[in-house]
Amino acid sequence: MLVSLADVARAIVSGVLIGSVYSLIAMGLALIWGVMDIINFAQGDFMMLGAFTTYWLLELAGLDPLLSLPVSFALVFALGVLTQRVVIERILQAPMVSQISATFAVLMMIRYGAEAAFGPFTRRVVTSYTGTVLRFSWTTIPLTRAIAFSISLVVAALLYLFLTRTYVGLAIRATSQNRMAASLMGIDIRRMYMLAFGIGVGVSAVGGTLLSTFFPIYPEMGGFFCLIAFIIVVFGGFGSIFGAYISGIIIGVTEAVSALFISPTLKDVVAFLLFIIIILVKPRGLFGARM
Amino acid sequence: MPMLEVSNLNVYYGDMHVLWDLSFSIEEHEIVALLGANGAGKTTTLKTISGVLRPRSGSIRFKGVELTKLPPHKIAELGIAHIPEGRQLFPWMTVLENLKVAAYTKRARSRLSESLETVYRLFPVLKERSSQLAGTLSGGEQQMLAIARGLVMRPELLMLDEPSLGLAPKLALEVLELVKTLRDEGYTVLLVEQNVHHALRIADRAYIIETGRIVKEGSGEELLRDEEVKRAYLGI
């Protein structure tokens, strides 16, 4: 099989586009981990809720995915705050096994709750522009993916501005770097936890909304995306939110290029291999810095 | 009425009784030093006042408000700044971001620019390094930043835990001189210090703690002349 330069360029573009959606899910995971030292195994399932919010708002109210995006964020943010209050709050000081079990329990409730409510079927979000493509001399890009990429960039930029330019953002970062000192400066740690968890899963839901515009959705879809997000976060350096964004794109490109050169069925294997190599060579991840 | 009144405080770490019926008070505009050997309970006392630790019994009243049921952030809002042992900076944030976070409370935020002027005047090196990450500062600079953060909080009571620890002798003296200056500018200070001699020289009053109990109190001068204190802490 001959692979032309244009094929590689196309693979890279498509990898960047899908990677930018992975990045959103991973950034949320990194935020939660960085602030609370909790690995949220339900991250992919909050993403799925974002996707289904978009689906139902389109089906029932005719709302365009771009308009349902803020709704999807807000709903899942609220659910995240509730999860923090009801579940996570109680296990913050618990042994790691209990923490894993607790977020895993949240995963089961969301995933199989959704399956019970919506059935196990695969659905598609279809809009007037679903089939539209942007034509370039050497490639075509589906409009939905281009939109997803642009919004992902905007969301990442907003998160960056929030964490570096606002008082609450500074307080969230302070909490992640030194809880005791933060509380002594007058920061309500519990409030920061609620915000971090809410924003962390909310950003993931935005990823779900964007994904749903070009990817079939089903209640169990969160599993793969949580795994990939986890790899991206470890790859980028735990707790580094912007490292997670870049790593998401690297993983997306790795998958797409290996699908081209090796086999589409093995694309994830290559991503996982790359992950293992990075962990062996650079155990703190590519970007060691904290948020 | 004293500004801070600690009475019959009992604190445990699990089953271990570390503070025993501790009582002391601080009047407005004075420097009170809390002195004693390592492990005597000085840091525990500060942590209990600032709400990091909960006492099993006893009371802490700050300007008439009971603190023992309040979380740390509420206590900070009331005007108590605890500058903990070991600096406890936010290492991946810049010097300026560290100072901004310290102005998180309502009382501090509106006066941030004024506070920044003050701390940059006291510690010009912090102004030079304002965009540098706090974790990359030298030990002395980190201690300055820790104190500066306390000032930016605009507290009424400043609690300093070993502010001269790990500093070069000259800088350590400067820090303690600064504490005196702060008192003269109207702050009230509770000082925990390993350098008993210097602490007693600047303190208006001092308490000596041994194994979680207050065993002696008096003015700085009295304790400097006290034979037992001389023998146990001043090596004379």
Side-chain angles (χ1 to χ4, degrees), chain A residues 105-123:
Chain A
V106 173
L107 170 161
M108 301 283 266
M109 284 191 282
I110 298 178
R111 189 177 297 176
Y112 298 104
E115 193 152 312
F118 312 139
F121 325 112
T122 296
R123 293 178 164 88

Side-chain angles (χ1 to χ4, degrees), chain B residues 186-219:
Chain B
Y187 284 95
T188 307
V189 179
L190 176 56
L191 174 69
V192 162
E193 185 48 63
Q194 28 121 28
N195 191 329
V196 172
H197 184 73
H198 290 316
L200 285 176
R201 277 195 12 218
I202 61 161
D204 297 299
R205 291 187 304 116
Y207 295 87
I208 309 262
I209 306 192
E210 272 171 24
T211 56
R213 296 174 179 85
I214 294 207
V215 292
K216 213 176 257 298
E217 64 169 289
S219 74

